[in-house]
Amino acid sequence: MSNQDWSEPSGPHQPPGPLPDGSIPVYASHPLPGTPGGGPPLPQVGWGSEFGGGQHHHRQHIGPPPKRSTNDLLVSLLLLGGVAALLVIAALALRDGGSAAVAPATGPALTAPTAPPDDSTGTPASGQSSQDSEKIVTADAFYATGAQRGVGCRQPQVALNSQATVQRYYTNLVGCLNKAWAPKVQAGQDKFAAPRVIFWSGTTQSPCAGGSPVSFYCGASQTLYLKYSDDIKLWNRSADSANRAFARMWATYTVAHEFSHHLQQLTGILPAANRLEYEAPNRQAELELSRRVELQASCLGTAFMGANKSTYGITGSDLTIYRRYVEAQTGDENNRGGPRDHGARTSHQYWTERGFNTLNSTNCNTFTASASKVS
């Protein structure tokens, strides 16, 4: 699908198209966050605290990795030191006045998960071979559960300018995701459990890492850690409708992506991918597996968005902003100096379009795709 396949909104707030010189349109004296070539780039979904191995992942690796040579160990230590320096810089840049509030979500839609399966921590099942893991990530029954159906959820009409309103927005969205995905997980012969949800700002702790500058998912606790302060900053950066649409669509995309890591956890895809990463023969193969995991999460997240776009209100200006700035501008290019572990902009656009347009989990099987599709 090309970028011209969606309709432009009408009215006085219609966002302009690309300028004649190809540059990005400017709103309120600066480009929207995440756009190339100007303004502070928006942190990528889960591009933050590294959960194991010094990598830019938002999932946990537990258990002993395979033995590595002395040279591999030296390279890993150097990479880890570089990442640590980047994290200090990112943490300082994203501080919001020292707030460290951690607010667990409540309500029937956000109940704690039932007793987790043996591999729920992210640890590959004991005795699981590489062949077993390969079969899970490429041919799990979850892929054959058919197209996603709309569940009639509606986007709350709230301003994302306070902790209370952002939590209300997210609580509703996670409830919608639970309702949409539970039948699919069960149809794939797996047990569905709603994720825990923790809202936070400043700093937070999890079983997966000592801290993170952005929202993330932790498989060890089956918890979504959602940083509400970033959404408030996006909402308040400009009062115009384009920036407000961006804030809503980024929030929706972020939660749908992180929730998709929970789906990968429940179906066994994430633990199996962790095993394959541990046994990867080199850094390049390891990063490619990471990109397959992340691009799949983006694809599954947008399958939900596409299935519910009418009732949820991903239409008009919101759809335009989503297509032009969230879908088209997300990628490792924004993670300046970081590893290529989530996927290039072209790859993200390819997989998010597949999810949004086809609504089908089978079309989100990144583990059977060619290397060029997960660059």
Side-chain angles (χ1 to χ4, degrees), residues 1-3 253 292 295-296 298-300 302-303 322-323 326-331 342-358 362-375:
M1 176 176 177
S2 69
N3 287 340
Y253 175 81
R292 291 182 189 276
L295 292 167
Q296 181 176 91
S298 293
C299 183
L300 293 172
T302 56
Y322 163 72
R323 288 294 201 202
V326 177
E327 180 184 272
Q329 304 298 340
T330 298
H342 279 59
R345 286 186 189 132
T346 54
S347 296
H348 265 279
Q349 188 166 20
Y350 174 79
W351 289 103
T352 53
E353 284 185 351
R354 279 176 71 90
F356 197 89
N357 295 337
T358 70
T362 192
N363 294 321
C364 294
N365 192 344
T366 56
F367 292 93
T368 57
S370 66
S372 64
K373 295 298 184 184
V374 294
S375 62

Side-chain angles (χ1 to χ4, degrees), residues 127-139:
Q128 187 181 92
S129 67
S130 296
Q131 187 175 14
D132 294 333
S133 297
E134 187 73 25
K135 183 176 180 180
I136 291 171
V137 299
T138 59

Side-chain angles (χ1 to χ4, degrees), residues 267-326:
T267 59
I269 292 173
L270 189 54
N274 286 344
R275 167 59 68 189
L276 294 175
E277 284 191 52
Y278 275 137
E279 298 177 349
N282 52 53
R283 177 64 168 163
Q284 289 70 31
E286 189 177 357
L287 289 173
E288 182 178 300
L289 282 163
S290 175
R291 293 194 297 271
R292 291 182 189 276
V293 170
E294 298 299 338
L295 292 167
Q296 181 176 91
S298 293
C299 183
L300 293 172
T302 56
F304 164 83
M305 292 173 66
N308 294 277
K309 63 183 179 182
S310 296
T311 59
Y312 200 77
I314 307 177
T315 57
S317 179
D318 280 9
L319 179 59
T320 297
I321 293 297
Y322 163 72
R323 288 294 201 202
R324 183 171 290 162
Y325 293 102
V326 177

Side-chain angles (χ1 to χ4, degrees), residues 108-238:
L110 303 178
T111 55
T114 56
D118 293 341
D119 62 356
S120 66
T121 61
T123 307
S126 58
Q128 187 181 92
S129 67
S130 296
Q131 187 175 14
D132 294 333
S133 297
E134 187 73 25
K135 183 176 180 180
I136 291 171
V137 299
T138 59
D140 189 82
F142 174 70
Y143 293 124
T145 56
Q148 178 73 259
R149 294 183 180 180
V151 289
C153 284
R154 298 185 180 278
Q155 185 178 180
Q157 299 303 303
V158 296
L160 304 182
N161 58 3
S162 71
Q163 177 181 345
T165 55
V166 175
Q167 287 188 198
R168 177 183 169 189
Y169 191 91
Y170 280 164
T171 298
N172 175 76
L173 178 55
V174 174
C176 292
L177 288 159
N178 287 333
K179 186 177 180 181
W181 285 113
K184 294 297 181 186
V185 172
Q186 292 163 352
Q189 305 304 309
D190 290 300
K191 185 176 181 179
F192 180 81
R196 293 183 177 94
V197 179
I198 291 180
F199 300 104
W200 62 283
S201 69
T203 59
T204 189
Q205 300 293 318
S206 79
C208 291
S212 171
V214 293
S215 297
F216 62 95
Y217 173 75
C218 176
S221 57
Q222 295 194 3
T223 300
L224 306 174
Y225 292 81
L226 304 178
K227 189 178 182 184
Y228 65 84
S229 55
D230 283 350
D231 299 291
I232 296 172
K233 288 179 181 178
L234 283 179
W235 184 268
N236 290 337
R237 65 180 280 135
S238 175

Side-chain angles (χ1 to χ4, degrees), residues 232-282:
I232 296 172
K233 288 179 181 178
L234 283 179
W235 184 268
N236 290 337
R237 65 180 280 135
S238 175
D240 66 89
S241 61
N243 274 281
R244 297 290 168 82
F246 182 93
R248 289 192 302 270
M249 290 300 95
W250 184 260
T252 303
Y253 175 81
T254 298
V255 177
H257 174 102
E258 301 302 344
F259 191 97
S260 295
H261 284 307
H262 183 60
L263 297 176
Q264 292 171 323
Q265 186 71 45
L266 295 176
T267 59
I269 292 173
L270 189 54
N274 286 344
R275 167 59 68 189
L276 294 175
E277 284 191 52
Y278 275 137
E279 298 177 349
N282 52 53

